[in-house]
Amino acid sequence: MSSKVLMKGAEALAEGAIQAGCRYYFGYPITPQNETPEYMSRRLPEVGGRFVQAESELAAINMLYGAACTGVRAMVSSSSPGISLMQEGISYISGSNVPCVVMNAMRGGPGLGNIAPAQGDYLQAVKGGGNGDYKRIVLAPSSIQEGVDLFVDAFELAEKYRMVVMVIVDGLIGQMMEPVEFKTQVDVSTRKPPEWAVSGRHGRDHANIITSLTLDAVELEKWNLAHQAVYAEVEKVESRIEEYQMEDADYAIIAYGTMARIAKTTVRLARAKGIKLGLLRPITVWPFPAKQMQAYVGKLKGALTVELAYRQLFEDVRLTLCDKMPLGWYGRGGGIVPGPQEVLTAFEEQFGKGR
Amino acid sequence: MEHNVVIAGFGGQGVMLIGELLAHAGMDEGKEVTWMPSYGPEQRGGTANCSVVIADEPIASPVLTNPQAAIIFNVQSFDKFEPVIEHEGLLILDSTLVEKKSARSDLDVVYIPATDIAQKLGSSKYTNMVLLGAYLGKVAPITMESVYGALPIFLTGKKTDLIEINKRALQAGVDFVSKK
Amino acid sequence: MAEEMKVIYERPTSWANKITHYCPGCTHGVAHRLIAELVDEMGLIDKTIGVWPVGCAVFGYNYFNFDSVEAAHGRAPAMATGIKVTNPDNFVFAYQGDGDLASIGMAEIVHAAARGWPITVIFINNGNFGMTGGQMAPTTLLGQKTTTSPLGRTPQVNGFPIRLSEMLATLDGPAYIARVSLDSPVNIRKAKSAFRKAFNAQVRGIGFSLVECLSTCPTNWKLTPVESMERIRKEVIPYFPLGEFKVVEGVL
Ligand SMILES: Cc1ncc(C[n+]2csc(CCOP(=O)(O)OP(=O)(O)O)c2C)c(N)n1
Ligand code: SF4
Ligand SMILES: [Mg+2]
C-alpha cells in the first residue's frame, strides 16, 4: 500500500508521462488541465528534461513536431479548444510519420463552452480533425491509475507504428485525486536517436529528411496505401476493451472513460435488481474494439451506449453492431455527468426491466 | 460500503485540506478514495468546496449530486448544499458562522460552534479540524488513528509543532457529537 | 434654504449596473469604468460594438448596455476587423489581456496594427494569465514567479518580456499607441485621457489605436490590493514605462 500516492489526475498523468520516458513537454495553459504544464515546469528540469510554455497551442504542437523529429519522447497536452488549434500540426506530424503523444482533457463545447467534463471531442479524436487520410491511436483511460499505466503504452505504440497517439481524458479525471502507483520506469538515458530521426548526420551515409509533402500523385497514393496497411494492422492487433461482468450478461452498456466508471456502478445496481447487465469499455477508441464487441452478437439482447456527448461514440457502435442487436443510446452534454441511477433508469426505459 | 461527503466554505478556511486529509487517511487504510475539488471560475467568488468518497469497491463518480453528508463552513455553502443532501443524510454546520437552521426534518443536523471551540483551543484556524472531528465522530468511515497518522503529511517543517493541537481539535469535534 | 444638489458622480448609462466577478483590488473594473464613462461622454452607446477576450474579462459583455461579441482566445482584433469592415460607422473596440493579445493573439494584433484600420484596442497588462490561475505571460517580469515559472522567470528558460506598445509603435499603421497605469487616481485620470484619444482616433477615422494598461492581479500575485498597486509603481513601471509611443497628426 505504501507505494501508492494520492495525486491530482492532471499531475499524476504528467508524472506518468515522465516515468514513461517523456523528457520534453510543450504547452499553453487551458483549464481543466493547467496542472499538467505547471507540474511539468517544476518536474522536467529535475529529470534533465525541458518544459517550454508556447505562445499558443499552434506553436506548442509545432514545437512538439520539431522535438519529436529528433527522436525523443515528447508530448503536448491541452483541452478541447486548444486541441482544435493543434489539428493542423497533428495532420502534418501524421503525414511525416513522427511518433509523439498528445493528451486532451476534454471539456464542454462547442466553442469556448465550459470547463466541465465532457466527451464531445470523440469524433474529432477518432475520425480526423486535421486534413487528409490519417489515423491516430486513441487511448481512453477511465481512472488516473489506468492513465498513468497507459502512458508507457502510448509512447511505445507511437514509436512502434510511427504514429501520433492521443490520450483522451476529461476534466473529471484531470481534477480529481485518486491513489496512484507508478509501476514502470522507462530509462531513456542511454537512448540513441532512431535511424529515421533528424539529429545531424554524424557520419551517417545519407541525409534524413522529414516532410509531409509528396507532390507526385503516384507517390502520395503509395504513401497512402502503405499507411492504410499500417492502420489495418493496428486495427487488427492493438484494439483493447475491458469486459466487465459480461460472462452471463443479457445486456451491455457500452461506455468509455469517466462515463464507463459510472456505468460500472450502474451494472452493480442492475445486478442487485436481478438484471444481467455488463459493461463493454473500449480502452482504445481507435482502433475501435469492434471484433470484441461483435463476439457478443447472438448472446446479448441489446446494448445501451452511454456517453457525455450526443451520439458520437454511438456512431462507432452502430457501425459495429447495427442490425445485429437492439441498440439504445443515452447521453448528457454541456458538462453534465449523469449518476449511476440515472443511467439505470435510461436503460430500463429503453429495454424494459431487462428481463 | 461507500461513504461520501461534501465539504464547503470560503477559500482559506481549510476546506480543501480536511478533504485531502480524509482521502489520505482512507488511502492509508487501503480503501478506495477520491477527492474532487470545485475548479475554475467557480472559485472566483471566493467559495471553495470538495467532495470526498471513501469506499471498499472501486468508486464510480467522484462528483456527488446528492451527498450522504455535508460539512458546511458558510451561509453560501449552506444554501447550496443543504437542499441536495441525500434523504436522511447528515449535515454538520459551524453554528458560530452560520446562523441558519435547516428546514429539513429528515436530516440529522449537528449545529456545532466549531469556531468557538477552536478559539478556546487557541485559534479559529483549527475550526476545520473541529468540524472534521464531528463528522468522524458521527460517521467513522475510517479510524481516528488513520486520520492522526495522515496529519504529518500536511503539517511539515515548522508546522510539525501544530500536530498535537490539531489532534486536540479533531478530538474536540468527536467529543461534541458523542456527548449527545 | 438648501442649495440645489449637484450630481458630481453617477453610474454611466452604458454600464449595466451589475456586480462584476472580478477579485477585490483587480483593475479590470477600472478599465471597464473608463470605457463606460467615455462611451457616455462621447455619445457612442448606440454605435459601440465591444469585442471581448478569453481571459478574466470573458464576461465583459455582461457589464455594458451596448452590443458585444465574444472572440476566440487571441482573435479579438481579427473579429473587430471583420465587424469594422461591414460596419465602418460603428465604434468597434477589442478588449484583451496580455495572454490573449501578446501570446496566442500576437499575429492578429500585429496585423491589425499594421493594417492601421480604425479600431481601438484596450490592452490589459497584468503580467500573467489571470483566468487560468497565474501562469507566465509574455509580459511577466524577469524574476517573477508564476505557476509555470516556479523559480522565477529567467531569460535562459523563459525568454524576455515583450514591450508591446513600443513594438507596435514601430509600425506605420497605428495612429495612437500609449501605455498607462491604473494604480492611482492620478494615473487613472491620465489613463482616461489616453482612452479618449484612442477612441477619437477611431471616431475621427484616423486609424488604429491601442492603450496598454498596467493592471493588477492581486489574486495570482498573492498580494493585497494595496500591495499590488505599489508593485505596479515599484516593479512594473520601471520595466514598462508610461507614455505615448505613437500620436499621428489629428489625434486629440
Ligand atoms: C485556444 C485556447 N487556449 C487556451 C485557453 C485557456 N485560456 C483562457 S484565458 C487564458 C489566458 C488569460 O490570460 P490573459 O489574456 O492575460 O487575461 P487575464 O485573465 O490575465 O485578464 C487562457 C490561456 C482558451 N480558452 N483557448
Ligand atoms: S484573477 Fe487576477 S485578473 Fe482575474 S479577476 Fe482576479 S485579480 Fe483580476
Ligand atoms: Mg493577463
Side-chain angles (χ1 to χ4, degrees), chain B residues 32-176:
Chain B
E32 300 280 346
V33 297
T34 60
W35 174 93
M36 181 79 196
S38 54
Y39 62 95
E42 223 186 307
Q43 296 167 335
R44 283 284 177 284
T47 58
N49 71 71
C50 65
S51 311
V52 178
V53 184
I54 301 178
D56 298 316
E57 302 235 13
I59 296 162
S61 174
V63 179
L64 306 173
T65 342
N66 303 107
Q68 295 168 350
I71 304 175
I72 297 297
F73 288 65
N74 65 11
V75 180
Q76 289 88 332
S77 303
F78 176 89
D79 293 341
K80 184 166 175 186
F81 292 107
E82 186 254 3
V84 297
I85 299 172
E86 197 175 275
H87 184 67
E88 297 184 344
L90 170 67
L91 170 63
I92 293 177
L93 196 68
D94 182 351
S95 59
T96 317
L97 299 179
V98 185
E99 285 179 359
K100 286 196 174 172
K101 293 266 182 285
S102 172
R104 283 180 57 178
S105 55
D106 63 311
L107 292 183
D108 179 4
V109 190
V110 178
Y111 299 99
I112 170 171
T115 303
D116 286 343
I117 296 175
Q119 265 158 357
K120 280 189 199 117
L121 288 166
S123 163
S124 61
K125 278 191 219 142
Y126 312 126
T127 305
N128 58 345
M129 294 295 164
V130 176
L131 286 166
L132 179 62
Y135 171 72
L136 291 165
K138 273 279 179 188
V139 181
I142 45 174
T143 67
M144 288 309 284
E145 283 64 42
S146 305
V147 179
Y148 291 160
L151 276 174
I153 298 165
F154 299 90
L155 300 166
T156 53
K158 271 185 275 171
K159 289 191 184 153
T160 319
D161 298 345
L162 299 175
I163 291 176
E164 275 316 306
I165 181 81
N166 275 285
K167 283 187 186 173
R168 295 226 304 277
L170 281 161
Q171 191 56 50
V174 177
D175 292 346
F176 184 88

Side-chain angles (χ1 to χ4, degrees), chain C residues 128-139:
Chain C
N128 75 77
F129 289 18
M131 175 96 194
T132 41
Q135 295 83 7
M136 189 183 70
T139 46

Side-chain angles (χ1 to χ4, degrees), chain C residues 141-162:
Chain C
L141 296 179
L142 292 177
Q144 188 180 333
K145 285 186 183 158
T146 70
T147 55
T148 50
S149 56
L151 303 175
R153 180 175 190 160
T154 66
Q156 295 76 19
V157 177
N158 315 102
F160 290 91
I162 298 175

Side-chain angles (χ1 to χ4, degrees), chain C residues 54-69:
Chain C
V54 182
C56 278
V58 69
F59 296 126
Y61 48 73
N62 285 329
Y63 305 139
F64 296 86
N65 288 323
F66 46 70
D67 287 359
S68 279
V69 296

Side-chain angles (χ1 to χ4, degrees), chain C residues 28 97-99 124-130 137 139:
Chain C
H28 265 301
D98 40 7
I124 304 296
N125 172 350
N126 60 11
N128 75 77
F129 289 18
T139 46

Side-chain angles (χ1 to χ4, degrees), chain B residues 44, chain C residues 21-23 26 28 56 126 130-131 216-220:
Chain B
R44 283 284 177 284
Chain C
H21 67 293
Y22 299 111
C23 308
C26 175
H28 265 301
C56 278
N126 60 11
M131 175 96 194
T216 55
C217 179
T219 301
N220 290 307

Side-chain angles (χ1 to χ4, degrees), chain A residues 78-318:
Chain A
S78 187
S79 174
S80 310
I83 294 290
S84 291
L85 283 177
M86 292 184 179
Q87 294 303 326
E88 173 194 79
I90 292 173
S91 167
Y92 277 63
I93 297 171
S94 303
S96 45
N97 308 313
V98 173
C100 64
V101 175
V102 174
M103 179 159 77
N104 182 4
M106 296 185 281
R107 60 188 234 180
L112 210 43
N114 63 22
I115 55 178
Q119 296 180 327
D121 304 348
Y122 178 89
L123 288 175
Q124 181 197 58
V126 304
K127 304 283 169 176
N131 60 296
D133 277 298
Y134 70 94
K135 296 278 185 195
R136 73 235 74 41
I137 294 171
V138 186
L139 306 175
S142 82
S143 70
I144 297 175
Q145 182 67 59
E146 188 183 26
V148 164
D149 296 342
L150 279 177
F151 256 102
V152 177
D153 304 75
F155 280 103
E156 276 169 11
L157 288 167
E159 286 167 4
K160 181 171 175 196
Y161 296 104
R162 291 182 59 189
M163 286 174 71
V164 174
V165 173
M166 198 172 222
V167 178
I168 55 173
V169 294
D170 57 53
L172 204 130
I173 291 178
Q175 291 300 312
M176 72 192 277
M177 278 200 197
E178 238 179 353
V180 56
E181 195 179 351
F182 297 95
K183 299 169 196 154
T184 312
Q185 276 87 37
V186 178
D187 180 12
V188 286
S189 60
T190 55
R191 240 171 89 104
K192 297 267 178 299
E195 89 286 350
W196 52 262
V198 290
S199 45
R201 275 181 63 176
H202 298 296
R204 199 191 315 112
D205 64 0
H206 63 280
N208 279 344
I209 292 172
I210 293 176
T211 174
S212 69
L213 175 71
T214 313
L215 269 186
D216 186 85
V218 175
E219 286 303 310
L220 185 52
E221 189 185 42
K222 269 192 211 155
W223 187 98
N224 276 312
L225 290 172
H227 284 77
Q228 290 303 313
V230 173
Y231 302 150
E233 173 70 10
V234 174
E235 286 194 289
K236 211 164 99 196
V237 300
E238 301 295 355
S239 66
R240 301 187 199 179
I241 193 169
E242 184 195 7
E243 293 154 81
Y244 177 75
Q245 308 233 355
M246 287 301 296
E247 303 77 26
D248 62 340
D250 290 331
Y251 296 89
I253 289 180
I254 300 175
Y256 71 96
T258 287
M259 198 56 245
R261 62 189 285 159
I262 291 160
K264 267 192 188 172
T265 304
T266 305
V267 168
R268 293 202 287 265
L269 294 177
R271 294 237 163 209
K273 291 173 92 175
I275 305 168
K276 286 188 180 163
L277 185 62
L279 171 71
L280 292 171
R281 176 175 77 86
I283 299 169
T284 55
V285 281
W286 195 91
F288 195 72
K291 271 182 311 204
Q292 295 94 318
M293 287 186 186
Q294 281 160 354
Y296 289 96
V297 172
K299 295 183 192 155
L300 290 179
K301 295 183 200 160
L304 179 75
T305 301
V306 189
E307 56 186 318
L308 306 176
Y310 293 93
R311 295 180 180 81
Q312 297 203 23
L313 170 66
F314 192 47
E315 216 168 279
D316 276 335
V317 172
R318 274 201 314 217

